């Protein structure tokens, strides 16, 4: 048995300054969820932030099933049922945001002549109010904000959340493990609809495509800042009563699996920088700390751009809302940054004429077009589109990236280790993980042996005994939640998969962590039983070539097999077994 000194000499690249690996794996004890009180990280340079922003953008798109982006098919917009008042018009809208899938909404336009270059446009998601985009109450009047914005000189498209008003081909809340494999969720459809809503708005005559903004409250604010995070066409925004360090959203439409791995809404909202944004908050909900926590954290990102004046906060003593006080603050902010008007008196809200609900609904006395898909048909189309996108992706780097985001995996910058005799423990600095195992000395090609029941089971297996007889150096570990490393993990935490990787995803990461520590080409990666699948995906993502010795012939890659044997949200959308095999071809 080699001493620790000999081990480190043989792997000189592994030499590390003293570091501590925790006694308990943080992945079992620190379980972030939608009600965790998060702390914003600090970015020292603009370049550091921009690299993080680029990563987060892809993470959001991946969680929404939009990495790579599906093709944008014709919207076939239907605009009808025009209502005219003295200064504005309202029309009903149906958009075919993907073949056979329809988004409903209302289009509010000024009646005055468009200025040179066109009116600025605003997309306006509504949030979880009882009447959706037609909610008209003291705490939130969607028609009031849309009409007043139109009177001020904007073209406004107010569109449905899924399952609300005219957008009825799915429920608002839907999805189970199979849908999660394909990233098919309410959040996926809503973010896609938002992107297509921008496509629609910028296509309209009289709209200035270079001046499009977004505003919504509550769940509509979540849609607003997610859209702004992934679509730079949003040039100004007002997410109202949602950006918080203490609550990240309570609905499925705000919490897709993998969305907030190692992040939270304050950081996502900061992706709007340096474009103008107002953060509206209230004492009576989860935005109560805005002036002391969330707003300073976001402003710090704007300061990296030298644009601190482009972000503002408005805080009021009120319950959860998008009330008149909040709306007028938004009007003033947009007026200053978009219309070039600083006279606050011009943005006092006017009273409105409220139209009958049936006169606002696109499907009142109408049916969906004949090609409209039901839920099963829509899901099947989503799957076919994903399969086509993966088949057409030939770039190995892009395939690897898709799998990395689905697994939430990384090739670590650095891995630390602690050795005591034949026992060895690995960890990634700052991650809090603990990967324990055993090693035995030898000569020749290194072996990493993974058993589904952990390191002790591996050492008592016939396969391990055969490897020992070769005289080669062998490493084996308790991959996450196997062997001695099994520990309680609160999988019932609210929106667990939005913030935490699945067990199988963590197992792949543990293998990558050890491969990174070894950091030599040609390691033989051996996986038996169910661990063969973990090894197949780890080999695909390894930055060093490995010799893969893992029989996955009894795993065909069906949805049910993934649910039962390798559950990782988004893995099918990212190409699954086919992509992993392509990435390991000719690498041995």
């Amino acid at each position: 048995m080699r001493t620790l000194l000999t081990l480190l000499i043989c792997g000189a690249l592994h030499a590390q300054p003293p570091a501590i690996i925790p006694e308990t794996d943080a992945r079992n004890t620190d379980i972030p969820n939608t009600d965790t009180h998060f702390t914003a990280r600090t970015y020292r340079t603009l370049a550091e932030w921009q690299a993080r922003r680029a990563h987060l953008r892809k993470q959001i798109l991946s969680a929404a099933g939009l990495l790579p982006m599906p093709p944008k098919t014709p919207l076939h917009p239907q605009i009808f049922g025009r209502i005219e008042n003295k200064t504005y018009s309202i029309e009903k809208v149906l958009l075919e945001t993907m073949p056979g899938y329809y988004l409903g909404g209302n289009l509010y336009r000024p009646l005055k002549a468009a200025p040179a270059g066109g009116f600025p446009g605003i997309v306006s998601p509504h949030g979880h109010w009882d009447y959706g985009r037609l909610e008209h109450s003291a705490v939130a009047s969607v028609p009031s904000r849309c009409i007043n914005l139109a009177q001020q000189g904007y073209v406004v498209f107010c569109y449905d959340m899924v399952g609300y008003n005219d957008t009825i081909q799915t429920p608002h809340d839907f999805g189970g493990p199979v849908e999660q494999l394909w990233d098919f969720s309410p959040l996926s459809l809503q973010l896609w609809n938002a992107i297509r809503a921008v496509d629609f708005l910028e296509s309209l005559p009289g709209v200035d495509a270079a001046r499009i903004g977004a505003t919504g409250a509550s769940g509509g604010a979540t849609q607003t800042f997610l859209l702004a995070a992934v679509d730079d066409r949003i040039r100004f925004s007002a997410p109202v009563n949602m950006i918080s360090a203490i609550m990240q959203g309570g609905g499925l439409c705000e919490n897709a699996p993998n969305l907030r791995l190692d992040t939270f809404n304050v950081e996502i909202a900061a992706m709007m920088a340096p474009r103008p944004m107002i953060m509206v908050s209230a004492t009576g909900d989860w935005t109560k700390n805005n002036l002391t926590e969330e707003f300073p954290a976001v402003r710090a990102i704007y300061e990296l751009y030298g644009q601190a004046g482009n972000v503002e906060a408005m805080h009021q003593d009120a319950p959860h809302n998008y009330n008149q006080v909040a709306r007028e603050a938004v009007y003033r902010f947009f007026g200053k940054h978009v219309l070039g008007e600083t006279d606050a008196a011009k943005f006092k809200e006017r009273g409105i004429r409220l139209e009958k609900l049936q006169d606002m609904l696109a499907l009142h006395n109408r049916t969906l077009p004949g090609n409209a898909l039901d839920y099963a048909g829509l899901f099947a189309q989503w799957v076919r589109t994903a399969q086509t996108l993966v088949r057409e992706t030939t770039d190995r780097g892009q395939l690897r990236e898709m799998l990395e985001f689905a697994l939430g995996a990384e090739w670590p910058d650095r891995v630390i280790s602690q050795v005591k005799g034949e026992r060895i423990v690995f960890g990634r600095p700052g991650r809090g993980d603990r990967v324990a195992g055993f090693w035995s000395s030898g000569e020749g090609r290194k072996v990493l042996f993974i058993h589904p029941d952990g390191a002790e089971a591996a050492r008592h297996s016939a396969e391990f005994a055969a490897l020992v007889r070769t005289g080669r150096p062998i490493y084996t570990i308790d991959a996450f939640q196997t062997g001695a490393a099994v520990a309680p993990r609160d999988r019932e935490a609210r929106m667990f998969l939005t913030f935490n990787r699945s067990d199988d995803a963590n197992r792949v990461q543990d293998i990558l962590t050890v491969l990174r520590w070894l950091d030599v080409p040609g390691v033989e990666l051996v996986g038996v039983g169910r661990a063969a699948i973990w090894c197949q995906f780890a080999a695909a993502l390894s930055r060093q070539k490995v010799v893969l010795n893992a029989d996955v012939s009894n795993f065909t890659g069906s949805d049910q097999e993934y649910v039962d044997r390798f559950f990782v949200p988004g893995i099918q959308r990212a190409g699954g077994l086919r992509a992993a095999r392509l990435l390991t071809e000719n690498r041995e």
Side-chain angles (χ1 to χ4, degrees):
M1 188 72 67
R2 289 183 294 178
T3 65
L4 172 59
L5 178 60
T6 304
L7 176 64
L8 294 178
I9 291 173
C10 291
L13 292 177
H14 310 323
Q16 308 288 354
I20 297 174
I21 298 174
E23 290 300 318
T24 302
D25 194 328
R27 294 173 296 182
N28 289 320
T29 56
D30 300 336
I31 309 294
N33 61 81
T34 196
D35 295 323
T36 296
H37 192 158
F38 291 91
T39 300
R41 67 178 73 182
T42 300
Y43 293 92
R44 295 166 297 178
T45 66
L46 180 59
E48 183 184 4
W49 163 250
Q50 288 178 324
R52 176 63 172 163
R53 184 185 187 277
H55 175 91
L56 288 174
R57 182 180 184 277
K58 291 178 179 178
Q59 180 170 306
I60 294 166
L61 290 172
S62 175
L66 303 177
L67 186 71
M69 197 76 76
K72 290 184 174 181
T73 53
L75 287 168
H76 300 130
Q78 300 179 42
I79 306 173
F80 56 97
R82 184 179 178 90
I83 300 170
E84 288 194 4
N85 208 324
K86 292 181 181 179
T87 55
Y88 65 90
S89 66
I90 306 174
E91 294 158 289
K92 306 176 187 182
V93 176
L94 272 181
L95 302 178
E96 192 174 6
T97 60
M98 63 180 69
Y101 182 59
Y102 289 88
L103 171 67
N106 294 111
L107 184 64
Y108 297 77
R109 297 197 250 202
L111 285 183
K112 63 184 179 183
F119 295 112
I122 296 175
V123 291
S124 189
H126 54 74
H128 293 98
W129 314 111
D130 290 344
Y131 288 89
R133 72 175 199 264
L134 304 180
E135 178 77 14
H136 178 65
S137 63
V139 295
S141 174
V142 181
S144 288
R145 83 165 176 256
C146 294
I147 290 170
N148 275 271
L149 285 167
Q151 290 172 324
Q152 291 163 25
Y154 304 88
V155 174
V156 183
F157 179 48
C158 184
Y159 59 93
D160 292 332
M161 300 171 81
V162 298
Y164 276 72
N165 300 126
D166 296 305
T167 306
I168 56 176
Q169 289 163 265
T170 72
H172 181 62
D173 293 329
F174 64 83
V178 171
E179 286 91 343
Q180 289 172 346
L181 295 173
W182 294 95
D183 287 326
F184 181 69
S185 70
L187 183 141
S188 303
L189 292 182
Q190 287 187 176
L191 185 54
W192 178 248
N193 284 343
I195 292 168
R196 300 311 318 267
V198 176
D199 294 339
F200 166 66
L201 197 55
E202 71 175 6
S203 74
L204 293 173
V207 171
D208 182 353
R211 292 190 297 163
I212 291 180
T215 184
S218 191
T222 302
Q223 292 182 69
T224 295
F225 61 68
L226 286 174
L227 173 62
V230 302
D231 195 329
D232 289 339
R233 293 177 298 174
I234 299 302
R235 304 307 305 164
F236 54 96
S237 72
V240 175
N241 281 26
M242 192 65 230
I243 302 172
S244 172
I246 61 175
M247 205 285 282
Q248 305 305 302
L252 290 180
C253 76
E254 301 171 89
N255 285 284
N258 293 339
L259 178 66
R260 298 188 187 90
L261 299 180
D262 308 313
T263 191
F264 68 116
N265 283 349
V266 173
E267 192 173 46
I268 294 172
M271 294 170 69
M272 181 70 189
R275 297 162 287 169
M277 177 173 68
I278 183 170
M279 298 169 60
V280 179
S281 54
T283 57
D285 68 11
W286 45 89
T287 62
K288 61 186 179 181
N289 302 323
N290 184 36
L291 297 184
T292 57
E293 287 194 50
E294 293 86 2
F295 176 65
V298 173
R299 186 175 56 192
I301 302 300
Y302 277 78
E303 288 171 347
L304 292 175
Y305 291 92
Q307 296 289 340
N310 274 357
V311 63
E312 295 181 13
M314 194 288 287
H315 193 64
Q316 63 170 312
D317 185 8
H320 189 59
N321 73 86
Y322 199 164
N323 62 16
Q324 183 174 343
V325 173
R327 294 194 296 271
E328 289 178 346
V330 171
Y331 303 154
R332 291 192 297 270
F333 182 83
F334 285 177
K336 178 173 67 174
H337 287 275
V338 184
L339 303 179
E341 178 56 71
T342 58
D343 184 355
K346 294 184 178 180
F347 298 105
K348 292 293 293 182
E349 186 167 274
R350 306 180 191 179
I352 66 165
R353 184 184 77 187
L354 189 66
E355 307 298 335
K356 296 178 182 178
L357 296 184
Q358 60 266 34
D359 292 338
M360 300 285 284
L361 290 169
L363 294 181
H364 179 65
N365 288 332
R366 294 169 63 99
T367 60
L368 284 166
N371 71 331
L373 300 169
D374 61 9
Y375 178 91
L378 187 59
F379 180 37
Q381 177 176 261
W382 183 272
V383 169
R384 288 193 302 271
T385 300
Q387 291 171 328
T388 298
L389 287 169
V390 172
R391 282 196 302 268
E392 293 176 349
T393 301
T394 57
D395 182 88
R396 294 170 69 92
Q398 188 175 5
L399 284 173
R400 181 184 294 112
E401 181 178 76
M402 290 162 63
L403 286 177
E404 282 176 339
F405 278 105
L407 287 153
E410 66 172 358
W411 185 249
D413 290 334
R414 179 181 168 216
V415 177
I416 56 177
S417 62
Q418 296 172 357
V419 180
K420 186 175 182 180
E422 64 181 359
R423 296 183 179 274
I424 187 166
V425 183
F426 305 94
R428 293 171 293 161
R431 290 290 192 173
D433 49 359
R434 178 183 177 87
V435 185
F438 298 92
W439 73 280
S440 60
S441 62
E443 300 296 330
R445 186 193 301 271
K446 293 179 172 66
V447 180
L448 177 56
F449 181 71
I450 309 296
H451 192 284
D453 296 323
E456 195 64 47
R459 293 208 303 170
H460 289 87
S461 69
E463 294 89 347
F464 189 88
L467 288 168
V468 169
R469 288 193 292 271
T470 68
R472 293 154 59 194
I474 306 171
Y475 301 81
T476 185
I477 60 172
D478 287 334
F480 188 71
Q481 287 288 322
T482 68
V486 174
R489 193 182 193 211
D490 183 11
R491 296 173 181 83
E492 300 304 314
R494 287 187 70 198
M495 307 301 175
F496 175 84
L497 288 171
T498 300
F499 300 87
N500 300 275
R501 295 157 181 83
S502 72
D503 290 356
D504 287 315
N506 279 322
R507 289 159 184 155
V508 173
Q509 180 60 63
D510 288 350
I511 298 168
L512 287 171
T513 295
V514 180
L515 288 172
R516 175 65 177 91
W517 183 84
L518 293 168
D519 204 23
V520 293
V523 171
E524 183 176 356
L525 178 58
V526 181
V528 297
R530 197 157 57 95
I533 308 169
W534 314 340
C535 291
Q536 173 73 72
F537 282 89
L541 299 184
S542 174
R543 293 299 193 273
Q544 290 280 13
K545 291 192 294 185
V546 301
V547 176
L548 180 62
N549 184 353
D551 183 6
V552 295
S553 60
N554 65 346
F555 183 80
T556 65
S558 70
D559 288 348
Q560 195 57 53
E561 284 177 307
Y562 276 109
V563 171
D564 294 339
R565 299 170 60 190
F566 187 71
F567 180 65
V568 175
I571 196 68
Q572 288 280 57
R573 176 64 178 80
L577 185 60
R578 179 180 179 275
R581 282 174 165 161
L582 284 171
L583 288 170
T584 52
E585 283 178 359
N586 303 317
R587 294 197 65 193
E588 291 81 356

